[in-house]
Amino acid sequence: MSIQVKNVGEELRNTSKSLFSVEVMPPLKGQRVDALYSAIDPLMKLLKRYSVRKRPGTVGIAAAIRNRYDTEAVPHLICGGFTQEDTENALIDLDFLGIRNVIALRGDSVKNERVFTPEPEGNTYAIDLVRQIMDMNNGRYIHEGLDLDARTSFSVGVAGYPEKHFESPNMEVDLQHLKNKVEAGASYIVTQMFFDNQKFFSFVHKCREFGIDCPIVPGIKPITTARHLSLLPGFFHVDLPETLVKNVLACSSRDEIRKVGIDWAIQQCQELIEFGVPCIHFYTMGKSGSVEAIASEVF
Ligand code: FAD
């Protein structure tokens, strides 16, 4: 079976209509891969392509998804917990498997750490990871002097924050770091989730003013439970609009909350498509039901 490899960065730049991708959570250790497939199966009838969030050690998951669905899987590589050598080995495996699209991220601090601490001999910021991948694209590996002559051809996406990354002192500093990642070789940006489209529009505007001209893919997360009202702002450092919060609090059942979340996300997506986004990325957090309802309405 031959699988056509796509370059996500190029596709996003050239697409004439809005696409969509979804993020899936690999199964926990000990669970079978069927758990993952059961979350993806309902979406496949809707998906032309999608990206897959990668937890550490999930090169195999990306390969399994690719083999089963014959579509692009975009593993997420993080700095945290990995030496540069670990990363190089993972990238070599991905390259052997024909997986040519990755997202380069720093990762968050682990429990008991106040600030993010890189691994000794690991990458400190996402930009260092982007540079390492670009080095491999240029045939430069960690061990100098090895005549590997094997250039990889990874297309790299990076994260952006319409409401600013929480560690940045201000938006301008954050945008400068984002611009540096793009200049280092990233070809597109996927954003953190947001619930107010104006924040995304303003972010895109500022990026363009800053000279960041690559495709920017908005990240959408449907609210599915009342707990999200505190969990999402606490964990992802995002604001929830007053009306959305009010609508969720007025619900008397879980199904009603789910419907509020779906309706809100549909409205966001329709407006984003009208704005001309190249793709919408859905955060599923392991549950694909709401995303299925939204995507079948919007796409
Ligand atoms: P960076 O770009 O390295 O930025 C981190 C912070 O450092 C920012 O405040 C930035 O402004 C600042 N900074 C950057 N460069 C410098 C510099 N040279 N000097 C000083 N400051 C600097 N996490 C996971 O663990 N796994 C995932 O799969 C995952 N997927 C994600 C997908 C998306 C689309 C997004 C938006 C986030 C994802 N995250 C994931 C979360 C991400 O790892 C965290 O948000 C993390 O805190 C920052 O990652 P980053 O790649 O944006 O870091």
Side-chain angles (χ1 to χ4, degrees):
M1 177 173 64
S2 76
I3 296 173
Q4 204 196 343
V5 178
K6 300 190 172 83
N7 177 311
V8 170
E10 256 172 46
E11 294 246 338
L12 292 175
R13 200 172 269 286
N14 296 328
T15 183
S16 56
K17 63 177 179 117
S18 303
L19 309 168
F20 84 96
S21 62
V22 298
E23 182 166 274
V24 299
M25 306 277 277
L28 294 172
K29 215 171 180 177
Q31 281 185 348
R32 297 189 52 81
V33 72
D34 295 0
L36 175 75
Y37 294 150
S38 63
I40 300 176
D41 280 345
L43 297 170
M44 278 317 292
K45 62 180 184 293
L46 302 165
L47 279 166
K48 297 279 184 297
R49 78 207 65 197
Y50 60 92
S51 68
V52 174
R53 175 175 179 156
K54 178 178 180 291
R55 282 184 186 176
T58 54
V59 168
I61 292 291
I65 289 171
R66 210 180 139 96
N67 281 342
R68 183 175 167 103
Y69 299 109
D70 185 12
T71 188
E72 280 311 299
V74 184
H76 291 196
L77 300 178
I78 58 171
C79 304
F82 297 92
T83 63
Q84 288 192 349
E85 188 156 13
D86 295 333
T87 299
E88 184 171 287
N89 289 336
L91 286 161
I92 290 170
D93 286 348
L94 289 170
D95 186 53
F96 284 163
L97 290 163
I99 292 168
R100 303 279 149 72
N101 294 287
V102 294
I103 300 217
L105 300 144
R106 187 196 68 180
D108 280 316
S109 53
V110 290
K111 270 187 196 148
N112 309 325
E113 255 180 20
R114 273 189 56 244
V115 289
F116 173 80
T117 314
E119 204 63 15
E121 298 183 43
N123 290 309
T124 305
Y125 292 107
I127 191 172
D128 303 317
L129 187 48
V130 175
R131 287 189 181 124
Q132 183 178 2
I133 300 167
M134 288 304 131
D135 275 350
M136 287 176 64
N137 281 355
N138 288 311
R140 285 195 299 275
Y141 290 74
I142 294 169
H143 299 292
E144 282 180 24
L146 283 184
D147 186 17
L148 287 168
D149 192 29
R151 287 166 189 255
T152 55
S153 52
F154 288 107
S155 160
V156 183
V158 288
Y161 302 83
E163 299 180 58
K164 180 183 93 56
H165 185 262
F166 71 103
E167 291 169 27
S168 272
N170 58 50
M171 190 53 127
E172 280 60 39
V173 171
D174 209 26
L175 285 176
Q176 187 57 55
H177 290 140
L178 181 57
K179 187 176 182 185
N180 294 344
K181 289 193 281 192
V182 174
E183 286 177 348
S187 52
Y188 66 102
I189 295 164
V190 185
T191 78
Q192 182 57 280
M193 64 182 73
F194 57 89
F195 297 86
D196 174 355
N197 283 353
Q198 291 311 319
K199 296 202 165 147
F200 175 78
F201 299 147
S202 151
F203 173 72
V204 172
H205 183 67
K206 282 188 195 140
C207 283
R208 301 311 182 216
E209 276 185 348
F210 238 81
I212 300 170
D213 74 347
C214 66
I216 303 178
V217 175
I220 293 295
K221 158 89 189 108
I223 298 261
T224 53
T225 102
R227 284 181 65 229
H228 280 156
L229 298 186
S230 54
L231 277 182
L232 300 179
F235 202 78
F236 298 105
H237 308 275
V238 294
D239 276 354
L240 298 179
E242 214 180 311
T243 315
L244 175 60
V245 174
K246 226 191 273 173
N247 293 352
V248 170
L249 291 177
C251 292
S252 52
S253 72
R254 217 181 156 131
D255 279 352
E256 273 183 45
I257 296 177
R258 209 177 141 256
K259 173 142 186 358
V260 166
I262 289 171
D263 289 347
W264 190 273
I266 287 175
Q267 224 181 335
Q268 275 195 282
C269 291
Q270 286 169 339
E271 207 183 8
L272 289 165
I273 290 171
E274 216 167 287
F275 181 74
V277 296
C279 177
I280 294 177
H281 182 64
F282 290 105
Y283 292 97
T284 66
M285 290 165 121
K287 303 230 162 54
S288 54
S290 291
V291 172
E292 188 185 359
I294 298 157
S296 35
E297 177 69 27
V298 173
F299 290 93

